[in-house]
Amino acid sequence: METGKLIAEADLEKPVPYGRFSIHTTGEIHRYSGGQRKDTIHIEPLHQLTKAHAVGYFSIPTPERLDTYDASKHTADVVETLEIPTEVSERLTFLLEIGPKALKVATYGIGLSYELYTLVSRSAAARLPEELAASFVEAAALTVFDSRQIQKDEAELRFYQKIYGQGSFVFRENGGAYVALTSVPMARAPTMRVEFDGSELSIETIPFDAQNKPTHKVRFWIRDKGGRNKQHDLREHIRSVVFDARL
């Protein structure tokens, strides 16, 4: 990858009409294509981004080849629209970048700002092999580091603590379950006691996979007289949270 230019990887596999990137708090980035992980790169952890980092790129032969957005088929937490002029009929290539919240969109594109970072998709020049002229192409950027610069548990805690301050937190997931984060990583997967302001409330711990027992969080349901309460946010009834594990 050169400044302002994107070059197809020499070992680029057969192009497919869709791809996906996942960006993790550690700064580890995965590219998926055809439902399989193809590449992994490493940048700065998300809680301490100092500059813009290229994530990857996607290139489309012409805008008219794109599918129309359908909310029933294309799930997304946030939907933003980039208007492409109707007279544009040539190949378009977009660079994906992530950087500090103040990151600006340097060329034609769109940016989404979150608590600690901004994600940008902007136009860039591309030099692709002639045999890919009619293809949809995506590829990962070059890695900055050879490996993660921080462990998963510490990265997640530092990320949320930079937003909310030091200490432990309890979050509620969209499905109604809760996640409690410790203030520091522990020596082993912790257990947890929760005290409520009413005796009718209790917790039901949700076990993690046997190969993935984090040392910095506990996932659980809050139960009332009717069992698991998935409809209401009951965090206001929590009086204290105590983690039980050796530091």
Side-chain angles (χ1 to χ4, degrees):
M1 181 176 296
E2 303 173 356
T3 303
K5 295 182 179 179
L6 299 166
I7 303 172
E9 301 287 344
D11 60 350
L12 191 67
E13 299 182 30
K14 183 180 178 181
V16 293
Y18 64 92
R20 179 171 67 88
F21 294 88
S22 65
I23 305 175
H24 304 266
T25 53
T26 58
E28 185 168 278
I29 298 172
H30 302 303
R31 178 180 74 90
Y32 296 87
S33 186
Q36 297 181 339
R37 185 190 297 183
K38 298 295 185 179
D39 299 294
T40 296
I41 67 172
H42 302 277
I43 63 171
E44 297 172 314
L46 298 193
H47 69 276
Q48 56 184 28
L49 292 169
T50 62
K51 60 182 180 179
H53 289 280
V55 172
Y57 73 90
F58 60 93
S59 186
I60 60 177
T62 62
E64 64 183 15
R65 293 274 305 277
L66 291 173
D67 294 334
T68 301
Y69 175 73
D70 184 342
S72 65
K73 297 179 181 179
H74 311 124
T75 58
D77 295 326
V78 178
V79 177
E80 293 288 343
T81 302
L82 180 64
E83 296 289 343
I84 299 176
T86 55
E87 61 268 21
V88 175
S89 59
E90 67 269 17
R91 173 172 290 278
L92 291 177
T93 300
F94 291 90
L95 172 67
L96 300 178
E97 291 179 310
I98 189 170
K101 195 169 181 179
L103 180 65
K104 303 299 182 183
V105 183
T107 56
Y108 173 69
I110 194 168
L112 296 174
S113 291
Y114 297 89
E115 292 94 338
L116 298 183
Y117 60 86
T118 292
L119 186 65
V120 167
S121 175
R122 65 180 182 87
S123 61
R127 188 164 70 246
L128 300 177
E130 185 176 347
E131 59 267 26
L132 298 179
S135 300
F136 289 83
V137 178
E138 93 281 335
L142 297 179
T143 191
V144 176
F145 304 107
D146 293 332
S147 60
R148 294 179 193 147
Q149 300 302 290
I150 190 172
Q151 295 301 312
K152 290 182 179 181
D153 51 4
E154 187 176 358
E156 187 171 358
L157 291 179
R158 288 192 181 186
F159 181 87
Y160 284 111
Q161 288 172 354
K162 190 165 184 179
I163 298 172
Y164 300 107
Q166 298 298 312
S168 57
F169 309 97
V170 177
F171 297 97
R172 186 170 186 267
E173 299 177 343
N174 291 336
Y178 300 82
V179 176
L181 296 179
T182 64
S183 58
V184 295
M186 296 185 167
R188 64 188 181 202
T191 57
M192 185 182 67
R193 300 190 308 275
V194 179
E195 181 182 354
F196 294 97
D197 60 10
S199 59
E200 74 280 359
L201 298 178
S202 62
I203 70 167
E204 176 188 339
T205 301
I206 304 172
F208 286 97
D209 184 270
Q211 280 73 43
N212 178 31
K213 291 187 176 181
T215 62
H216 66 296
K217 61 184 176 183
V218 176
R219 191 164 177 260
F220 63 100
W221 298 105
I222 295 181
R223 300 175 59 91
D224 56 20
K225 293 180 179 178
R228 297 173 181 172
N229 188 318
K230 301 180 181 181
Q231 285 73 42
H232 304 101
D233 186 348
L234 300 174
R235 286 177 293 177
E236 63 178 327
H237 298 289
I238 296 176
R239 294 182 59 183
S240 67
V241 176
V242 178
F243 295 98
D244 183 9
R246 290 175 296 179
L247 297 178

